[in-house]
Amino acid sequence: MSGPLNELDKQAHDEFCCTLAALILFDEGVDITGANLQKVIAASGNKIDAYWAPLFARAVQGKNIDDLLVGGAPAPAGGQAQQQAAPAETKKEAKKEEKKVEEE
């Protein structure tokens, strides 16, 4: 996000309101529900489209917010496999180079 917050388009504004409201609820130890999100957003003087709060609440349901704050969303399983394969390939290449050096 760049620029003043009051210049955000409607979608970005609503999403930002939900994000901040969810962080407030999390920080206070209150369940992140659609109703609670709406209460916090209304108390802040903002208005969002009705579908945002329950949608956002479902999106974070069952997620560990601490983990999301510290490291973001978990990497897909395929990404881990690629990262694990890379060191193995590097070892194979190193062995090939050692053999070439020994042959010379």
Side-chain angles (χ1 to χ4, degrees):
M1 248 185 311
S2 63
L5 296 177
N6 62 352
E7 292 181 7
L8 293 176
D9 62 46
K10 177 71 173 141
Q11 180 177 347
H13 170 269
D14 290 1
E15 185 175 349
F16 192 64
C17 284
C18 287
T19 301
L20 293 179
L23 290 173
I24 290 168
L25 292 170
F26 170 73
D27 193 47
E28 293 299 318
V30 178
D31 289 337
I32 301 172
T33 65
N36 287 342
L37 288 169
Q38 279 291 14
K39 288 177 188 175
V40 172
I41 292 166
S44 73
N46 286 284
K47 294 179 182 176
I48 62 170
D49 290 334
Y51 67 88
W52 271 105
L55 179 70
F56 203 87
R58 280 193 301 271
V60 299
Q61 183 179 20
K63 305 282 190 304
N64 185 336
I65 304 299
D66 275 330
D67 289 346
L68 294 175
L69 291 172
V70 172
Q80 290 175 344
Q82 291 173 349
Q83 289 175 353
Q84 291 173 352
E89 290 174 9
T90 304
K91 289 178 184 178
K92 288 179 185 177
E93 290 174 9
K95 287 181 182 179
K96 287 180 184 178
E97 289 179 20
E98 286 179 19
K99 287 181 182 178
K100 287 181 184 177
V101 171
E102 289 175 5
E103 291 174 2
E104 294 175 0

